[in-house]
Amino acid sequence: TWARQPLRSDWFDDPSPSSSDCSPLAPTRTRGAILIELVTLTDQHQRFDCLSGWPQPGMTRSLRLYRNGSLIGTSPQNFGDFPVPAGPGDFRLAFDVGTGPTIGTPARISSEWAFRSTGPSGTGTQPLPLLSVDYELPLDPANHPVAGPALFDVRQAVGVKAQQITSFQLWTSLDDGATWQPATVSRTGNGRYSATLPTPAAGQAVSLRVAAAGSAGSRITQTVIAAYRA
């Protein structure tokens, strides 16, 4: 299952000890700051790459954090330490990646995570109530499409009260995101969904956009341009 497409951006908070120097820090908040370190490209939630802080030929990254609709910080990397006012707020974290010629597919990934946070009252830290989507697409070992349904699992942060997943939506594009078509989605379990993807022509790329929301206000919207090719 390694390197299964679509590669996409994600966060990481696996509490299991790791001997890798590439293991990212979990997204957290103190009373006056939010610490973010995202995974630029991964094939599955709770996995990570070694791209943090390493320039890649042609790759671009842009990280932005908003509070109550106002921009409070930016970073040209996949990580940032953003000062925030103490107290509650509605936050939105946006991360855009252009993979460049080294990767090629996917071509671009845009991710947005929305969440509510009050912050700790003392000097401790709190995990952020983020959502993530795992993709299990009907692809062969060479990442070309085969018959079968696409499966999607909505993941939630460790150490945060579980939310009810209230909605999941999927759109597909066969023209690199110029136009989008909604897909029919079926709920198959708690946070698990199934859909049928379009059949592309030989060599044609399929782009995906997903959106999920939880009962406590957490949301994720993720767009992967050229997620895979026929």
Side-chain angles (χ1 to χ4, degrees):
T1 62
W2 291 96
R4 176 180 296 210
Q5 291 178 353
L7 299 176
R8 72 278 188 183
S9 305
D10 201 3
W11 46 272
F12 177 89
D13 68 347
D14 189 343
S16 303
S18 173
S19 60
S20 173
D21 291 337
C22 298
S23 178
L25 298 173
T28 55
R29 179 181 178 182
T30 64
R31 187 178 181 185
I34 286 181
L35 177 64
I36 300 294
E37 184 177 3
L38 298 176
V39 182
T40 301
L41 295 173
T42 185
D43 59 355
Q44 187 172 308
H45 188 55
Q46 303 296 31
R47 291 181 179 171
F48 54 86
D49 54 31
C50 279
L51 299 178
S52 186
W54 291 85
Q56 303 295 314
M59 177 177 284
T60 60
R61 287 176 275 201
S62 174
L63 181 64
R64 304 174 302 283
L65 183 66
Y66 300 82
R67 178 182 182 271
N68 297 339
S70 297
L71 179 67
I72 60 173
T74 65
S75 170
Q77 295 291 341
N78 60 304
F79 52 85
D81 190 348
F82 302 102
V84 297
D90 291 327
F91 294 89
R92 180 167 59 90
L93 181 67
F95 186 48
D96 296 324
V97 178
T99 60
T102 303
I103 303 297
T105 298
R108 300 187 304 278
I109 307 128
S110 295
S111 309
E112 288 196 359
W113 295 271
F115 58 97
R116 296 171 181 162
S117 173
T118 59
S121 57
T123 59
T125 62
Q126 285 182 346
L128 301 183
L130 302 181
L131 301 181
S132 175
V133 175
D134 256 345
Y135 304 67
E136 186 178 337
L137 306 186
L139 302 174
D140 65 18
N143 282 318
H144 296 306
V146 296
L151 303 177
F152 303 86
D153 286 288
V154 182
R155 309 296 189 188
Q156 303 190 40
V158 175
V160 176
K161 183 179 179 181
Q163 303 179 49
Q164 178 183 356
I165 303 305
T166 56
S167 69
F168 181 84
Q169 295 172 283
L170 169 69
W171 297 264
T172 64
S173 174
L174 296 176
D175 53 13
D176 292 337
T179 60
W180 294 91
Q181 301 297 323
T184 300
V185 174
S186 300
R187 186 176 185 273
T188 61
N190 185 23
R192 187 169 175 84
Y193 301 85
S194 173
T196 299
L197 300 179
T199 303
Q204 190 174 33
V206 178
S207 301
L208 302 174
R209 176 177 291 160
V210 297
S215 57
S218 295
R219 302 188 306 276
I220 178 175
T221 302
Q222 188 165 68
T223 301
V224 185
I225 301 298
Y228 64 92
R229 294 184 181 275

